[in-house]
Amino acid sequence: MKNKNVNKKLIIGIIIVGAFISSLNQTVMTASLPRIMTEFGITASVGQWLTTGYLLVMGIMIPCTGYLMEHFSSRKLYLISVSLFFIGCAAAAFSPNIYLLLLARVVQALGAGILLPLPQVVAFRLYRPEERGTIMGIVGLTTGFAPAFGPTFAGWIADSFGWRSIFYIMCALAALSIVLGIVKLPEEEKHSEGKLDILSVILSTIGFCGLLTGVSNQGIHGFFSPVVFGPLAVGILCIVLFSLRQLKLPSPLLELRIFQNRNFTLGTVLLIFAYGSMLSVSTLLPIYIQNLRHYSATVSGLVMLPGALFLALLNPLCGRILDKRGPYLLSLAGLVLLGGATFGLSFIGIDTPLATVVILYAFRTLGVVALLQPLQTWAVNSVESKFISHGTALMNTVRQVGGSIISALLVTVMSVSARDNGDMKGIETSFLVTSILVFLSLAVSAVLMRPKKSAEESREKESAAALPEDSSHIIITIAREYGSGGREIGLKVAQALKIPFYDRELIAMEARECGLSSDFVESTEEGLSLRDTAWNWAAQSYGAFETHLFATGNLSEADRLFQAQRQVIRQIARKGSCVIIGRCADYILKDYPGCLRIFIRSDPDQRRQRIQTEYKIPPEKTDAVMKQKDSERAFHHKRYTGQTWGAPSNYHIVLNSSLLGIDRCVRLIVESVRTVK
């Protein structure tokens, strides 16, 4: 894929199609489950394996995908994973019994576990850093919407053509993806060889499957039955052995030492309960609507559709709130909505209006949206930078597996209660237990997640320590409109005062600080486009596990660059007096009393003339370039400082170079500096 002539959009489009159908397949069984239970004569405890078992196998695959990505080319890995998915869908479509259907879902999950993170990896290999925000936004929107749309899609298909038709459609899409992959995906050089610890994979697989099997069988056979106690004992033993092995391996499959971090552990545990409660209600609600209320699968899907749309579309809003307010209040609000709506569902009956169920489920899903992302962000952000990639992989593995087990446990509660009191009472009891778990999580979160004042004070001290110790020297920051002559003014001021001047000199320093290329730094610095920033924000807001699995951190290249700029500017400010051009230096050094903040503007005619003369831009393009540059600088400044670029209140001096002239502006600044001193 290193060939520059490859059609990158076609390649990523093909791989996104595969990721979409595998993501869609996570939830298509929820609306079809009642029909499958009737056809095969099975209980809900067995039927829920079609969803939780699928997610469990995906969770087991997540730790292995890092090795697979390094060991196989993207083309081979894509074709293998889609082929597995196709085989699983074909087997599911023609399954004569529940056992073959469960096996088919396992095969699907093997392929899906690889397909979901694959678009990100391919995008990172194909696209330059400044292009990745756009493509990752598309990936996040596509794979984020698929699971939410699944129940409605599956309900309509099951009613119209039968539940097997869902897998016929999946087979057709998978077959098309295979053909496109063979014909259009170019071969890629194999990457560095990784080393997969097979024993760790075996232990984790047996351990997780044993736990889920034991929990699921309890609803049918009771806790002391050999088919319950045996799998649980084997599962616990294998998980213990797996954990001990990870602590001894130099390159473990999962870095369990991260659990020594209290915030990470707390966030992960809460995330497991939140994810498990989401899965359990998504499984039980179709049973209530179809088996007990005798509505169609289409109606079941439509009841869940508003909540699904909340889940798919409100992530960006929660992401913005998270950035501005932090995770504490958002998580508490999410738990209140989740617990309150679930508690309300525990009172539904045979005669409850469906509109009430729709509203409760929608509010419940809104709580899930407000909860999952803040918890994950808070937990992973508490981990040291060098362990962030391990933390995201570990959290997503535990979330998938633990959530599946919690979901199975809650379905078991329903089955046990239904044996003595009927199905309706069983569902009510399961909802009640779920709400109790959520309210307990709320109490724990309110106490342990509460921000400490000392943390804020330490951040203020850290910020103060980063500023120059000697406040006798002057730091002059110059922000300027494009073509206003601000750089020339800054250079002449530095020469007049005999102090260092920093503009393009900062590029190499920033590149070394953030580990990005100088070319990327030069092209990206204050030229972050509106489109790329919007898509980058969308990609971060839709923080699904597949978009973070192989990330080295939670920051985009643009965010890393701004952090590097902040560090570099503070470093050079500590050395002595200097002039710094742009780069939000006026904001970064706003708390330093020796900082003189200046903004240079100019009349449009003068700017056009300067732009055409200095930058050799044709007259017909001058206005467009001038508008674009100023818009990008304003957007960049607003994004990282929260302040309005060019607003007089943010600067000590605002000068118009077309009215005063370059030399007069220089003299005014020099006189101001000498007066301050």
Side-chain angles (χ1 to χ4, degrees):
M1 289 187 185
K2 292 182 179 181
N3 184 357
K4 295 182 179 179
N5 296 322
V6 298
N7 189 332
K8 296 187 288 186
K9 292 182 179 179
L10 177 61
I11 292 171
I12 201 68
I14 293 171
I15 294 178
I16 284 178
V17 170
F20 177 81
I21 59 176
S22 63
S23 185
L24 180 67
N25 206 44
Q26 291 183 50
T27 54
V28 293
M29 284 287 93
T30 54
S32 308
L33 182 58
R35 290 176 175 269
I36 295 172
M37 290 168 55
T38 301
E39 180 174 332
F40 291 138
I42 59 174
T43 64
S45 295
V46 176
Q48 57 87 26
W49 270 84
L50 294 172
T51 297
T52 56
Y54 180 88
L55 296 172
L56 173 67
V57 176
M58 281 182 59
I60 293 171
M61 284 299 298
I62 289 174
C64 306
T65 47
Y67 165 81
L68 295 173
M69 296 293 178
E70 295 299 322
H71 198 70
F72 296 97
S73 69
S74 298
R75 182 178 188 271
K76 290 180 180 177
L77 198 55
Y78 178 78
L79 291 175
I80 291 171
S81 57
V82 177
S83 297
L84 283 171
F85 188 79
F86 173 81
I87 293 170
C89 289
F94 297 100
S95 297
N97 54 59
I98 187 62
Y99 304 106
L100 186 56
L101 182 57
L102 286 171
L103 180 61
R105 290 287 284 171
V106 169
V107 176
Q108 291 172 24
L110 291 174
I114 303 170
L115 278 172
L116 280 176
L118 192 58
Q120 179 189 3
V121 179
V122 175
F124 270 63
R125 291 175 182 171
L126 281 177
Y127 287 85
R128 299 192 304 272
E130 61 269 27
E131 299 174 319
R132 292 172 185 166
T134 298
I135 199 64
M136 287 313 302
I138 296 173
V139 172
L141 288 169
T142 304
T143 57
F145 181 72
F149 178 67
T152 304
F153 164 77
W156 175 71
I157 293 295
D159 276 344
S160 302
F161 309 103
W163 65 267
R164 295 179 188 272
S165 299
I166 298 171
F167 295 109
Y168 296 149
I169 296 173
M170 294 287 187
C171 279
L173 293 174
L176 176 62
S177 298
I178 292 172
V179 173
L180 290 174
I182 293 173
V183 175
K184 294 295 184 180
L185 288 183
E187 189 53 84
E188 180 187 10
E189 294 180 7
K190 186 165 65 173
H191 296 272
S192 59
E193 297 286 346
K195 184 178 180 181
L196 182 67
D197 186 56
I198 301 298
L199 182 57
S200 294
V201 175
I202 295 173
L203 288 173
S204 64
T205 301
I206 297 175
F208 294 144
C209 288
L211 290 177
L212 188 57
T213 301
V215 170
S216 299
N217 288 343
Q218 184 177 350
I220 304 173
H221 303 284
F223 179 77
F224 295 102
S225 171
V227 297
V228 174
F229 184 80
L232 280 176
V234 172
I236 293 172
L237 177 62
C238 287
I239 292 298
V240 171
L241 294 175
F242 170 80
S243 302
L244 293 175
R245 184 167 180 79
Q246 302 316 294
L247 296 175
K248 293 180 180 179
L249 289 174
S251 299
L253 191 65
L254 289 175
E255 182 54 81
L256 299 182
R257 294 177 183 85
I258 299 176
F259 280 124
Q260 294 175 351
N261 184 301
R262 191 203 70 158
N263 288 355
F264 180 83
T265 303
L266 174 62
T268 302
V269 172
L270 293 175
L271 194 65
I272 289 172
F273 282 103
Y275 194 64
S277 66
M278 181 185 73
L279 292 177
S280 66
V281 174
S282 298
T283 301
L284 295 176
L285 205 56
I287 297 175
Y288 161 75
I289 295 172
Q290 295 178 53
N291 287 7
L292 300 184
R293 300 292 298 272
H294 305 294
Y295 285 102
S296 66
T298 302
V299 173
S300 175
L302 290 174
V303 167
M304 301 170 72
L305 181 60
L309 292 176
F310 273 144
L311 188 65
L313 301 177
L314 292 184
N315 262 320
L317 177 61
C318 289
R320 293 180 65 183
I321 297 174
L322 175 63
D323 289 338
K324 291 183 178 181
R325 302 294 182 183
Y328 181 65
L329 293 178
L330 195 58
S331 297
L332 294 186
L335 286 167
V336 169
L337 286 170
L338 180 61
T342 306
F343 184 70
L345 286 173
S346 68
F347 291 98
I348 61 175
I350 297 297
D351 299 322
T352 302
L354 281 186
T356 302
V357 180
V358 171
I359 294 171
L360 288 173
Y361 185 77
F363 274 101
R364 188 181 182 282
T365 311
L366 182 59
V368 172
V369 174
L371 184 62
L372 294 184
Q373 186 182 10
L375 278 179
Q376 180 160 347
T377 303
W378 176 71
V380 175
N381 283 347
S382 67
V383 177
E384 294 180 50
S385 298
K386 62 181 180 180
F387 288 130
I388 283 182
S389 60
H390 294 281
T392 53
L394 180 59
M395 169 166 282
N396 288 308
T397 299
V398 175
R399 183 191 71 174
Q400 292 288 115
V401 175
S404 300
I405 293 173
I406 293 294
S407 175
L409 182 61
L410 292 172
V411 173
T412 297
V413 170
M414 186 273 290
S415 299
V416 171
S417 178
R419 268 204 309 259
D420 300 326
N421 305 293
D423 291 339
M424 189 66 249
K425 188 63 176 179
I427 290 177
E428 292 174 353
T429 303
S430 182
F431 286 158
L432 180 61
V433 172
T434 302
S435 64
I436 292 173
L437 290 176
V438 174
F439 285 132
L440 288 175
S441 300
L442 173 63
V444 173
S445 301
V447 176
L448 298 183
M449 286 184 66
R450 185 178 180 85
K452 298 180 180 179
K453 292 184 179 180
S454 58
E456 181 65 29
E457 293 172 356
S458 65
R459 280 195 296 270
E460 293 178 357
K461 291 180 181 178
E462 181 181 352
S463 177
L467 296 174
E469 297 179 2
D470 182 6
S471 60
S472 63
H473 57 258
I474 296 294
I475 309 297
I476 303 169
T477 66
I478 297 181
R480 76 283 185 212
E481 292 179 332
Y482 186 66
S484 63
R487 186 181 187 280
E488 182 180 352
I489 292 172
L491 179 60
K492 289 187 175 183
V493 168
Q495 292 171 345
L497 296 174
K498 298 180 181 181
I499 59 178
F501 173 78
Y502 293 97
D503 183 20
R504 294 183 59 83
E505 297 80 2
L506 291 172
I507 291 175
M509 300 170 66
E510 294 166 1
R512 287 194 299 269
E513 181 71 27
C514 63
L516 299 170
S517 68
S518 296
D519 290 340
F520 173 72
V521 173
E522 185 173 6
S523 65
T524 302
E525 278 193 315
E526 295 173 345
L528 192 67
S529 72
L530 302 180
R531 183 194 67 176
D532 287 350
T533 301
W535 278 114
N536 177 51
W537 165 73
Q540 289 182 332
S541 298
Y542 282 96
F545 78 90
E546 64 269 21
T547 62
H548 291 290
L549 182 56
F550 294 98
T552 56
N554 285 333
L555 299 178
S556 68
E557 285 81 2
D559 296 331
R560 287 165 56 195
L561 176 55
F562 178 73
Q563 283 199 351
Q565 288 175 346
R566 182 168 55 190
Q567 293 299 323
V568 167
I569 286 171
R570 285 176 170 174
Q571 288 169 11
I572 63 176
R574 284 197 294 267
K575 295 179 181 178
S577 300
C578 62
V579 176
I580 304 174
I581 299 295
R583 297 172 178 84
C584 300
D586 50 89
Y587 175 80
I588 293 170
L589 299 176
K590 63 182 175 62
D591 294 326
Y592 174 52
C595 178
L596 182 63
R597 302 189 298 276
I598 299 171
F599 189 86
I600 306 295
R601 61 175 74 254
S602 182
D603 294 341
D605 290 338
Q606 294 288 336
R607 293 171 62 195
R608 291 188 189 96
Q609 183 178 354
R610 177 181 289 275
I611 290 169
Q612 294 168 17
T613 303
E614 292 190 9
Y615 302 112
K616 310 301 181 185
I617 294 176
E620 64 272 12
K621 296 183 179 180
T622 302
D623 284 349
V625 172
M626 187 167 62
K627 182 178 179 181
Q628 179 187 359
K629 289 291 186 180
D630 284 348
S631 296
E632 289 173 347
R633 288 178 179 178
F635 199 83
H636 179 278
H637 196 275
K638 181 70 173 179
R639 181 187 186 195
Y640 288 110
T641 70
Q643 297 180 349
T644 301
W645 179 75
S649 59
N650 297 328
Y651 305 92
H652 295 113
I653 302 174
V654 178
L655 301 175
N656 190 319
S657 61
S658 61
L659 295 177
L660 298 172
I662 298 295
D663 292 336
R664 179 59 177 161
C665 288
V666 172
R667 286 197 296 272
L668 285 173
I669 295 173
V670 171
E671 290 172 4
S672 299
V673 170
R674 288 171 177 165
T675 300
V676 171
K677 282 190 173 182

